[in-house]
Amino acid sequence: MTQVEARPQAGDTVRGVNAPGDTDGAAGAHGVRTKGLGGNSVGLLGSAVIGISTVAPVYCLTSTLGSTAGEVGLQMPAIFLAGFLPMLLVAFAYRELNKVMPDCGTSFTWTVKAFGPRIGWMCGWGLVIATIIVLSNLAGVATSYFWLLAGEISGSESIAALDDNKAVHIVTCLALIAAATAISYRGMTATKGVQYTLVGLQLVVLAVFVGMALTKAGSFETSVDFSWSWMNPFAVQSFAAFTAGLSLSIFMYWGWDACMATNEETTGSAKTPGRAALIAMVVLVGSYLATGIAAQMAVGSGEEGLGLANPETSDNVFAALAGPVMGPTLGILLFVAVLASAAASLQTTFIPVARTVLAMSTYEALPKSFTKVHPVFKTPGKATIVAGVATGVFYTVMTLLSENVLVDTIYALGLMICFYYALTAFACVWYFRGELFRSGRDFAYKGLMPLLGGLMLTAVFGKTLYDMWDPAYGSGSAVLGVGSVFVIGVGLLLIGVVIMLVMQRRSPAFFRGEVLTKETPSLVVAD
């Protein structure tokens, strides 16, 4: 073994990063460690499917098509493209960082290496808390659609109304969380098999909906003819409407980085996750644009009748359009697709949170007990179970406490997403600062694109923070005159600061920079 300063090349064996068979947790150069996860469990297709599934495209569309149309009108397709741009730019940052450090800690590990332990720890916390919020929301949506679908199939309104029974809703929700946790616990092979089916179903039903919506264009009073002006973001009526729509659009793409969290379990861990993330992004933007355009042509984006922005149906567009667009029989497929989308995302969203916690504990930033990997399934067993329990407790408490609090917690999610994505983008620029002018490719992919993506998300973060101060944002609740969304969002980040200070006393080595060094690493490669 010889120590070199160059990046690992194709075919090199990188000890302490992701070498096959190197699963003893030993530290490599500058403290980069393996975790004992099952290597070569996922290929390019499986990784891309996990990324698509975590985003939950059908669920995102049914819950945000109406809201986005209400903010920007017919410019909704342009907003989908605008939201895609920063996500794509940040995806390049993830790809470049993953090439040199395919570590399941992703944002946490990379920001520690770039900016040091405290910023890195908070970046990891942002990912973890955002994921817990999303998991609880997905479980609630899956529960609601489970009873809605049961009512549609049985033709019984009383069965569909069971979702309104708080006790039944919570018990069903906890059962779905337990099932998703169990599947994730059993490893990537089980995850992959379930996801192929659920993601395939989503995309097929979306394609059928798009096709039938296009054939129905002009059939409804609110139908509108297609115009290329829909693709012009500058036609949005105000900057406030643009930023509100952009925030919704960014949320619709969140989750593609789950591809990266499986890097230590992926065949070709240095390159495959990055390629999978880009494939997932292309599939998502294509699905969103096709569905948005077809829906607008069929029913328009107004607030009357079947219009997407109708306040009575805007929070669940597909429930309103299933029958009119697809008919009573095929319309049920749309309900199935939404349930499948939420259930699939619920299961795969455990992947990034469990592996981030595993990495944080491996590098002594969290208690050592979370480093336990199942000897057979090769998954972070304890981290997965704890994430499931935390999700169940969080959702139950929020539901019993107040529906407004639960809604505002979901609104606060955008703050967390922009926070850790932007930090990761800036980490890429700083980490590779010595290589940016080595070639045009390095300058574009390691510097310019991540920097632009980070700046865009920082701007959205700042604008969202400003808007959250207003009690009218979210449910309309306030704490001492300050919007409850602001209190929840900032409060969750401050809780992370408190936990970090506690861990600093328990694990001083990590916070002194002795476990992961704040510098460009020299990797140890095989001769």
Side-chain angles (χ1 to χ4, degrees), residues 340-355:
S341 182
S345 183
L346 176 63
Q347 190 254 306
T348 52
T349 304
F350 277 102
I351 292 173
V353 66
R355 281 148 185 80

Side-chain angles (χ1 to χ4, degrees), residues 228-372:
W228 285 107
S229 65
W230 296 357
M231 303 297 179
N232 179 16
F234 299 104
V236 177
Q237 59 185 355
S238 69
F239 182 70
F242 177 83
T243 56
L246 184 62
S247 181
L248 288 167
S249 181
I250 287 173
F251 166 74
M252 292 180 67
Y253 290 103
W254 179 80
W256 55 266
D257 51 313
C259 301
M260 301 296 180
T262 63
N263 50 20
E264 295 189 42
E265 299 153 272
T266 303
T267 302
S269 59
K271 294 184 178 181
T272 300
R275 292 170 177 168
L278 294 177
I279 291 173
M281 294 284 285
V282 170
V283 171
L284 289 168
V285 71
S287 300
Y288 292 163
L289 285 174
T291 305
I293 291 171
Q296 284 194 165
M297 291 177 66
V299 301
S301 62
E303 298 182 357
E304 303 294 331
L306 291 175
L308 296 176
N310 187 325
E312 296 181 2
T313 59
S314 62
D315 61 342
N316 192 349
V317 168
F318 286 156
L321 297 184
V325 173
M326 300 181 68
T329 302
L330 289 178
I332 293 179
L333 287 178
L334 210 47
F335 290 98
V336 173
V338 176
L339 175 60
S341 182
S345 183
L346 176 63
Q347 190 254 306
T348 52
T349 304
F350 277 102
I351 292 173
V353 66
R355 281 148 185 80
T356 298
V357 169
L358 171 66
M360 292 180 76
S361 60
T362 299
Y363 297 123
E364 304 174 31
L366 285 177
K368 187 177 180 180
S369 59
F370 288 111
T371 60
K372 293 180 180 178

